[in-house]
Amino acid sequence: MKKYLSFFRIRFTNGLQYRAAALAGVATQFAWGVLEILMFKAFYSYNQEAFPMDFSALCSYIWLQQALLSLYMVWFYENEIFDMIISGNVAYELCRPISIYKMWFVKNMASRLSKAALRAFPILLVAAFLPAPYGLALPKDITAALWFLFSLTAAFLVVIAFCMIIYICCFYMVSSLGIRIVAAALAEFLTGAVIPLPFFPEKVERIIRFLPFASMQNLPLRIYSGDVYGVQLYEGILLQLFWLMAMILVGKMLLSRALRRVTAFGG
């Protein structure tokens, strides 16, 4: 465990150095959040009753989505891992007496958390002081806040477990570009990153709800905004834990199978 904590600390500290990039990211995400809210406001002004989420809840959803983007962006990968797999330099990693899966998992966690540490707080602070209903509202009670934090952590781990499968698939390919584009496009659409899942047609949303993508940013953000509660909340949490364990298991099996076929020359 100590060695993985060391990898985490090194990668997290390294990520905190890019403060200018983080400042640009805060400005971009804040501007994007404002534009998105204004776009939805135009639709809500026509007929607020026609939409499945309260406008205030939708604004909270968007601000959290922008503030926590670093944790949930499925299109963000560690290019170093792709390069090692494609170039064959992964052989150096295999010489280490550690689990590659755990090391890559920890590095991904540290990179995302370091970005979130620099970007999330300024966005949340400004959003909290915006006038209602455009700002970030508080969760309806302490129970919802606690479930939000639990689901937030589980969703973060589900995203990393999903990205680990994408990394490992590159052992079976000559280029990582295709699978990265397909995975990012699918995930952006099905996680609720483009539009929240309740805005999908009911039949489609009913199917997406059971996919791993719905266990990413969709669930914690909707718990916070009060759109998911009661039995639906417990079902969502159980599904989230199921997908987390399933994807970690699949990732480890794929990696184990890939490493049995790896041949390294030289030395």
Side-chain angles (χ1 to χ4, degrees):
M1 180 58 79
K2 192 175 178 181
K3 48 186 176 283
Y4 300 112
L5 288 175
S6 299
F7 282 122
F8 180 89
R9 188 172 61 250
I10 292 169
R11 187 55 64 101
F12 185 81
T13 307
N14 187 51
L16 293 179
Q17 295 177 7
Y18 301 101
R19 294 174 189 170
L23 189 62
V26 168
T28 303
Q29 287 160 229
F30 190 79
W32 187 266
V34 170
L35 289 173
E36 206 170 347
I37 287 172
L38 291 177
M39 180 194 73
F40 277 108
K41 178 62 180 173
F43 290 116
Y44 272 72
S45 299
Y46 179 73
N47 183 7
Q48 189 158 349
E49 302 300 323
F51 295 94
M53 290 177 73
D54 179 67
F55 184 66
S56 175
L58 177 66
C59 290
S60 294
Y61 180 101
I62 291 172
W63 286 125
L64 284 172
Q65 185 184 53
Q66 294 304 314
L68 304 174
L69 180 69
S70 306
L71 301 183
Y72 298 129
M73 49 187 181
V74 183
W75 42 267
F76 173 75
Y77 297 101
E78 295 284 329
N79 288 324
E80 172 193 346
I81 296 177
F82 284 123
D83 292 341
M84 278 195 298
I85 295 172
I86 299 299
S87 68
N89 286 337
V90 71
Y92 295 111
E93 302 285 88
L94 296 175
C95 296
R96 299 180 176 180
I98 53 175
S99 162
I100 287 185
Y101 187 91
K102 290 179 183 174
M103 181 179 66
W104 288 351
F105 201 98
V106 164
K107 284 184 175 179
N108 274 269
M109 285 177 65
S111 292
R112 289 172 179 272
L113 285 172
S114 64
K115 285 181 170 54
L118 292 173
R119 301 179 187 204
F121 183 69
I123 296 174
L124 293 175
L125 185 65
V126 174
F129 284 99
L130 290 177
Y134 301 98
L136 175 68
L138 292 172
K140 65 178 184 179
D141 53 39
I142 188 67
T143 307
L146 292 175
W147 277 118
F148 162 71
L149 291 175
F150 182 84
S151 180
L152 182 81
T153 307
F156 173 54
L157 297 176
V158 169
V159 169
I160 296 177
F162 177 77
C163 290
M164 288 295 295
I165 293 176
I166 304 300
Y167 292 129
I168 294 163
C169 284
C170 290
F171 277 103
Y172 303 91
M173 301 174 182
V174 294
S175 169
S176 64
L177 187 60
I179 191 168
R180 291 171 65 173
I181 292 174
V182 171
L186 269 178
E188 280 288 286
F189 189 65
L190 298 177
T191 57
V194 180
I195 54 173
L197 295 190
F199 287 75
F200 280 63
E202 191 177 342
K203 290 181 181 177
V204 178
E205 194 262 342
R206 209 176 293 161
I207 297 171
I208 296 175
R209 194 186 303 165
F210 293 99
L211 299 180
F213 303 107
S215 294
M216 298 178 183
Q217 61 177 282
N218 165 68
L219 188 63
L221 302 191
R222 289 176 63 194
I223 290 174
Y224 182 95
S225 58
D227 190 53
V228 172
Y229 54 90
V231 177
Q232 199 179 354
L233 186 152
Y234 302 130
E235 289 176 352
I237 294 288
L238 285 175
L239 201 57
Q240 210 173 23
L241 296 176
F242 166 77
W243 281 120
L244 174 60
M245 289 186 287
M247 285 199 283
I248 288 177
L249 188 63
V250 169
K252 286 188 172 183
M253 287 173 60
L254 285 174
L255 182 62
S256 174
R257 186 177 176 186
L259 293 182
R260 282 201 298 271
R261 299 183 176 187
V262 168
T263 304
F265 296 96

